[in-house]
Structure formats: structure tokens, C-alpha cells
Amino acid sequence: MADKRHMCLRGLIILCALLTGISGVDDNQVFCSSGEDVRLSCNNALSGCTSTTWNYSNHSETVELIAEGIKTDTERHERLSLGSDCSLNIKKVTKEDCGLYTCRQYVNKQQQGTDAHVYLHVLHVSSSSSQSEIRSGGSVTLSCQLYYNYDLFTCDSSVGSEGLELIWVNQAGVNLQTDSRFQISFSSEQCLSSLTTTLLNEDHNREWRCQVKHRNQLKTSATYTVKYQTPTETKTPSPVTISKSPAAPTQPASVDSTLIPVSSSNSEKKSSQTTAAASTKQVSLSVIWIAVAAALAVLITAVILWVIRRKRAGVYSEFTDITTDKSLKISDLKYLEIGISFSFITEIC
């Protein structure tokens, strides 16, 4: 019995929509992109919102979300909230949230006034390729689909009579349909627009947007950003070669073997430094001794010359005195001169 009443109620809703025309329902149509937050207005709300009830319907399913101002739906509990004007707020909308939302007022268990209907359409963009397959030179197909209430609306009728459009544009807002690089197709049965292209190097971080236009008015859009995976840089260890020549050792593979050539090299370096220092010291000492010996030789020579001059001065003085004696013979003078020289040499030695 309840099912029959429910079917009759839904039939009346559809009939009212058809009689009033789509234009009469237009004010209650809300378009949004998946992942966004949306606000659904309640046009028949009473003050205080304690009498407000929100229901959700899609196909054959009807769920009570808010009952007399209190959240009752456990599945969407965290994403739902009631505004101060009794509007229904939904956070992070998903494509499954599309459908018919009904706001009612109850006072003392009696419905007050008529229902307020809001039709939520959700736009969703996805890629047929996984993230690892997104690379330059590869082909990618993007799908832009508008999810709506199939019971009240069809994409065919909306496209034909209401001017509903799904358009792909680039970051500058230029329609990609005019670019031969992109192949774009549209299915009115699923309200789905597909874009296929071959990725280029310059497409990294590039954005392509799918827009929904209704009666030449932009309603919402969803963006797809091309992201190339950055290859993980791995450091490959360089091959280790061991040289048999001690003159040109290479880096050993193990830590223990590394200590031996390093220690040997340090000891040889210290030994060579010590030998060089000793050699330098010996050379310095030899130079000093040579300089001292030369100085002593010069000094001794000077002293000898000085003594010779002194002796000669004294001897010749005596010789002059003797030679002034006219009583001496020449032969005596010769013997006297020889004797003076001999005695001088003897004293020096």
C-alpha cells in the first residue's frame, strides 16, 4: 500500500513538472561539480527549522535526510548540515548525490503547505588511463558526464529543448572542438562527452575544463590537470676496480681493506717528510760550519798578516840601526840579513 502511494506521489511530481514545463522547474535545478560543496534552498521553510524535513529520491529509492530539523541519515551524516534558513548543505558532493531533494514542513505531525523540490545535477570528469600511464607520447581519453535524475529529465530532451551543452575548453577558455589535435564525441543517451588526444611534453600541468551550459549560461565546470609521473632517481653504485700496482692504488670495496692503503700512504708521506726535514737540517748545519770555518780562516790569516807586519817593522828597525854602523862589512850585512829572516820564520812557526 505504501509503495502504491509512493508511486502515485512520484507520478504527480512528474506530471506537475511536465504541466508547468521545464522553465518552471529551472529555478529549482542546481548544477555542481563533484567534490564541491552545494547549498539547496528550501522555499517553504517556517521559522526555527524545527518543522523542516528533507527527503532524497533517485529512481526507486527515497531516503529521509532531515526530520524536524534533526539529521537522520547515517550514510551522509557527516556531510549534511541545516542552514539557518533551513537550506540543506552538502559537503564534497559525489556523483551519487544527484537526484531529487524535497523540503517539507510538518507542524504537529501535519504537513504544512506544498513541497519544495530541488533537482541536483552533478558533473564529473575522469580519465580512462591510470596515473602511471599518463606520459608524453601516450594517448589519453577524458570523460565528462553529467549525472541527473533520469525519472524527470532525459539528456536528449534537455539538449534539444533546453540548450544543454557539454563543452571542452583549454585554460584560455577556447573551445577544443576547433583544434584538430583533439577528438571529441558526445553521447546524449548518457549525457557524456569524451575527449581523446595524444599527450605532448608541454602538456604537463596543463588544464582542460569541461563546462556545462544551460540556455547559454555557464552552470558549472570540472577541470582535469595533466600530471606526468617524475621518474625516481636511483643512484647506481660505480664498479670497484682493484689495482695490483702499489703506485696507483684504487678505492677498495670493503671498509677493512680501505684502512690499509690509507695508513700506508700516510706513513710513507710522514717518512718522506721526516727524511726531507733531516736532509734540510744537515744541509743547514753544513752551510753553517763552512761559514764558520771560512770566517776563522779569514780571521787567522788577518792575524798572521798583522803579526808579520809587526815583526817586520821591528826587525827592519834593528837592521837599519845596524846598517848605519859603517864599521860593518858588506859580507857581515848579508849574514846578518839571513839570520834575521831565519829567526823571524822560527818565531812564526
Side-chain angles (χ1 to χ4, degrees), residues 120-270:
L120 179 61
H121 311 299
V122 179
L123 184 68
H124 182 72
V125 170
S126 61
S127 171
S128 61
S129 303
S130 63
Q131 182 59 46
S132 60
E133 296 173 333
I134 303 297
R135 63 173 65 91
S136 177
S139 178
V140 63
T141 298
L142 304 180
S143 299
C144 175
Q145 187 169 5
L146 182 65
Y147 292 86
Y148 56 94
N149 191 308
Y150 295 92
D151 294 333
L152 297 179
F153 299 93
T154 62
C155 191
D156 285 328
S157 61
S158 297
V159 169
S161 61
E162 296 298 315
L164 182 68
E165 295 180 279
L166 297 182
I167 304 173
W168 284 99
V169 298
N170 60 16
Q171 291 172 297
V174 178
N175 193 333
L176 296 180
Q177 189 76 50
T178 60
D179 193 337
S180 59
R181 178 190 163 193
F182 303 94
Q183 293 79 49
I184 299 175
S185 61
F186 179 73
S187 171
S188 59
E189 183 179 352
Q190 297 178 322
C191 230
L192 172 66
S193 178
S194 299
L195 178 148
T196 302
T197 187
T198 300
L199 297 174
L200 306 177
N201 289 332
E202 55 267 26
D203 288 333
H204 181 52
N205 287 329
R206 180 163 291 175
E207 293 181 353
W208 293 316
R209 294 198 309 274
C210 179
Q211 296 179 340
V212 174
K213 285 189 176 182
H214 187 222
R215 297 178 182 175
N216 292 323
Q217 292 183 353
L218 178 63
K219 294 299 183 178
T220 188
S221 65
T223 302
Y224 179 84
T225 303
V226 180
K227 291 286 186 182
Y228 294 157
Q229 273 193 332
T230 304
T232 305
E233 296 182 359
T234 56
K235 294 183 178 180
T236 305
S238 57
V240 179
T241 56
I242 302 176
S243 174
K244 296 182 180 180
S245 174
T250 57
Q251 184 178 356
S254 63
V255 176
D256 295 336
S257 61
T258 304
L259 298 175
I260 297 173
V262 171
S263 175
S264 176
S265 176
N266 290 338
S267 62
E268 290 176 1
K269 185 176 181 180
K270 290 181 179 179

Side-chain angles (χ1 to χ4, degrees), residues 283-340:
V283 172
S284 300
L285 291 176
S286 300
V287 172
I288 292 173
W289 281 114
I290 292 173
V292 170
L296 289 176
V298 172
L299 180 61
I300 293 172
T301 303
V303 171
I304 292 173
L305 292 176
W306 180 77
V307 170
I308 291 172
R309 289 189 63 185
R310 294 285 296 180
K311 291 294 183 178
R312 283 184 177 180
V315 171
Y316 281 104
S317 177
E318 293 177 2
F319 178 72
T320 303
D321 292 338
I322 294 172
T323 53
T324 55
D325 188 0
K326 297 180 179 180
S327 60
L328 293 175
K329 297 179 180 179
I330 294 174
S331 59
D332 295 332
L333 289 174
K334 290 182 180 180
Y335 288 117
L336 179 61
E337 185 177 358
I338 293 170
I340 291 171

Side-chain angles (χ1 to χ4, degrees), residues 10-75:
R10 293 190 62 199
L12 289 174
I13 293 173
I14 296 173
L15 181 60
C16 291
L18 293 174
L19 291 175
T20 56
I22 297 298
S23 60
V25 186
D26 181 60
D27 293 337
N28 297 330
Q29 292 190 70
V30 176
F31 296 84
C32 74
S33 177
S34 59
E36 294 180 342
D37 297 343
V38 68
R39 173 180 171 273
L40 307 180
S41 299
C42 181
N43 297 329
N44 63 358
L46 301 177
S47 60
C49 299
T50 55
S51 60
T52 300
T53 297
W54 276 97
N55 294 330
Y56 166 77
S57 300
N58 193 0
H59 304 294
S60 60
E61 179 186 19
T62 299
V63 179
E64 187 179 62
L65 305 177
I66 305 290
E68 297 180 351
I70 300 174
K71 290 187 290 184
T72 57
D73 182 49
T74 55
E75 183 180 350

